[in-house]
Amino acid sequence: MTLRIYNDLHRRKEEFEPLEPGRVRMYVCGMTVYDYCHLGHARVVVVFDVVYRYLKARGHEVTYVRNITDIDDKIIQRANEQGIPFHELTKKFIDAMHEDFDALGVERPTLEPRATGHLEEIIRMIQALIDKGHAYQAENGDVYYDVRSFPGYGRLSGKSIDDLEAGARVEPGEGKRDPLDFALWKAAKPGEPAWDSPWGKGRPGWHIECSAMSTSALGDTFDIHGGGADLTFPHHENEIAQSEGATGHPFVRYWMHNGFVRVKEEKMSKSLGNFFTIREILEHYRPEEVRYFILTSHYRSPLNYDEEHLVNARKALDRLYTALRGLPRAEPGEADQYVEAFNAAMDDDFNTPEALAVLFELVREINRVRPENEKKAARMGAELKRLGGILGILQEEPEAWLKGTPSGSEGLTDEQIEALIQQRLEARKAKNWAEADRIRDELKAQGIVLEDSPQGTTWRRE
RNA sequence: GGCCUGGUGGCAGAGUGGUCAUGCAGCGGCCUGCAAAGCCGUGUACCUCGGUUCGACUCCGGGCCAGGCCUCCA
């Protein structure tokens, strides 16, 4: 069985073979930390978290690097607006980002480099580009990449320099030789944070940060580079030009881009203002519901945000957890055909919707087997939980999940519920069905669902 | 304008040249004091017009529609 990944560089699925067998080097473009993360950011980190987990589950040793852009125009602007030093602003949002991602159950990457911690590498790379004739310093002090000096420019995004040229414009005072040239180093303006360099005080451009951080952490050539589809051009195109221009080696073997989160058929983005932050959503929905929702569509497809879908995610997770509820502890087993189907789905370019479908098929089998053979069901349940772990779901205690509330909601306490159930039990013993049903209806009105079984009555929150 | 995706049942969302997705919702049955949960069963789904084929939702071409990139954006 081989893993196939859709490689954006060639626009087709390709068999995945890491440069070094058993070892995968992966880089994902992380956040620019000037605001809270929204659902679009959540999608990137959840998607690549699953890629990371699955590669590990497949037995690879994975070095996963996800950077933090902690210096750029927007950060400076926002810090100035608030009258605080830029690093104070970035610290606040880096902390918030970690809170949000931790809440979503996203594993921390192996390394999380920050641009401001890699000025040396950045400067060295820019110098190499100048030395090799790929970059030049303009009269305004900025250093630009000479796009026409790199023959492969446009290969990833499928654009030709000449087509791009048509719509491009040079802003006054930029001093570019060609409108498509982009800044590697921006000369310091008054009041801006600045670092010393051979070209005077200034700061790095956005694109060069990722080239420098990725190659310094993973080497000139590495296996997977990921990010949102909006980064394909120009960011990733520029990264290729920079890294290959500077090192002379191929940069990335497999390029992966996830699709956008949409709101009413439009891309969710800061500029459109139609975004929902992770923390807003987590006020009303549980992290696992958000995560499940993200995984219900394939990572390259668009994902339409709608609260109804989050509600649906909870119902689906309820079914999964219900199958696990009350099963004795056991070692995973008895479910080979489901494990195979799950792996086949994941091997096919990380097809999480199909992998989830397999989980539901396994659930049906567990529910079927359970009455006759609880031990077998328990082993299958353990397997279900293990597979869920690869997707980052189903790791809660089933009982806790089913009795849990979305944060923020209020109602009866567990003790009050148990007391009412006890009362109802008395009524049922006396065959006072009217009273028993009254209590059940009362609880139902509060969002509590009762389930009677020969073993007793259980309850859950809707 | 250039380039790139995609249009699947009530909703969401996979997938395949000729039997099944899956979840939610619906309907019938079993189970239950009645329910719930669970199990079993159930739905003339594949934008449109042509073409290829014994056969296409699946391949090819046109059209229509939606979204994206071409400027900071995950």
Side-chain angles (χ1 to χ4, degrees), chain A residues 11 17 33 36 123 161 170 176 181 194 209 236 238 274 307 363 404 421 444 449:
Chain A
R11 285 165 218 265
E17 286 173 31
V33 282
Y36 293 113
I123 288 169
I161 292 187
V170 185
K176 289 180 185 177
D181 292 352
E209 296 172 4
H236 291 161
N238 292 352
N274 60 349
E307 297 214 18
V363 160
I421 289 175
K444 171 77 176 164
V449 181

Side-chain angles (χ1 to χ4, degrees), chain A residues 61-80:
Chain A
E61 184 194 317
V62 186
T63 307
Y64 175 24
V65 181
R66 191 184 63 216
N67 75 293
I68 295 173
T69 295
D70 61 349
I71 181 69
D72 92 330
D73 292 356
K74 282 184 178 166
I75 291 170
I76 293 169
Q77 191 193 331
R78 189 66 62 93
N80 285 344

Side-chain angles (χ1 to χ4, degrees), chain A residues 266-295:
Chain A
E266 252 186 352
K267 178 182 172 186
M268 178 184 289
S269 71
K270 288 269 170 69
S271 34
L272 287 170
N274 60 349
F275 60 92
F276 295 82
T277 64
I278 296 172
R279 41 195 57 206
E280 278 169 346
I281 293 169
L282 292 184
E283 281 173 24
H284 305 287
Y285 299 93
R286 287 183 279 182
E288 198 168 333
E289 292 161 5
V290 176
R291 197 178 171 100
Y292 180 93
F293 164 59
I294 289 171
L295 298 178

Side-chain angles (χ1 to χ4, degrees), chain A residues 295-298 341-342 344-346 348 350-361 391:
Chain A
L295 298 178
T296 52
S297 84
H298 184 86
F342 179 91
M346 292 300 283
D348 184 17
F350 308 99
N351 192 335
T352 54
E354 197 163 310
L356 287 170
V358 173
L359 261 32
F360 285 101
E361 280 160 16
L391 302 176

Side-chain angles (χ1 to χ4, degrees), chain A residues 31-252:
Chain A
M31 306 311 129
T32 299
V33 282
Y34 68 99
D35 207 343
Y36 293 113
C37 292
H38 60 63
L39 191 57
H41 302 115
R43 189 176 191 192
V44 182
V45 297
V46 167
V47 159
F48 287 99
D49 182 53
V50 169
V51 170
Y52 180 43
R53 287 170 188 251
Y54 185 64
L55 288 169
K56 285 193 292 182
R58 247 180 159 285
H60 292 103
E61 184 194 317
V62 186
T63 307
Y64 175 24
V65 181
R66 191 184 63 216
N67 75 293
I68 295 173
T69 295
D70 61 349
I71 181 69
D72 92 330
D73 292 356
K74 282 184 178 166
I75 291 170
I76 293 169
Q77 191 193 331
R78 189 66 62 93
N80 285 344
E81 281 166 18
Q82 299 185 10
I84 55 174
F86 83 95
H87 55 262
E88 206 171 290
L89 181 86
T90 55
K91 179 176 188 322
K92 175 182 167 187
F93 287 113
I94 289 169
D95 290 347
M97 176 187 86
H98 282 139
E99 270 177 39
D100 293 342
F101 293 173
D102 288 350
L104 291 174
V106 173
E107 290 188 23
R108 295 280 179 109
T110 320
L111 292 169
E112 213 173 35
R114 301 175 188 189
T116 55
H118 293 264
L119 265 297
E120 256 181 58
E121 290 91 331
I122 290 168
I123 288 169
R124 215 182 304 136
M125 189 171 252
I126 296 174
Q127 190 60 57
L129 287 168
I130 293 175
D131 293 347
K132 294 189 179 184
H134 287 301
Y136 58 92
Q137 185 166 27
E139 281 168 19
N140 65 357
D142 290 356
V143 178
Y144 292 106
Y145 191 99
D146 178 3
V147 165
R148 295 227 175 238
S149 75
F150 187 73
Y153 196 79
R155 212 175 49 203
L156 173 68
S157 53
K159 298 182 186 301
S160 85
I161 292 187
D162 296 321
D163 289 344
L164 289 165
E165 205 75 78
R169 277 227 312 262
V170 185
E171 296 296 325
E174 278 191 299
K176 289 180 185 177
R177 287 183 195 163
D178 187 290
L180 295 176
D181 292 352
F182 57 91
L184 298 170
W185 187 261
K186 298 185 178 187
K189 298 191 184 76
E192 286 185 355
W195 287 261
D196 287 319
S197 83
W199 319 286
K201 278 195 173 290
R203 62 192 164 84
W206 176 42
H207 312 300
I208 196 72
E209 296 172 4
C210 278
S211 280
M213 286 188 275
S214 60
T215 54
S216 77
L218 298 170
D220 290 355
T221 305
F222 55 92
D223 298 300
I224 296 173
H225 189 132
D230 45 0
L231 299 187
T232 308
F233 188 90
H235 187 53
H236 291 161
E237 198 67 72
N238 292 352
E239 277 189 56
I240 294 172
Q242 292 164 337
S243 299
E244 300 195 350
T247 70
H249 296 124
F251 180 41
V252 168

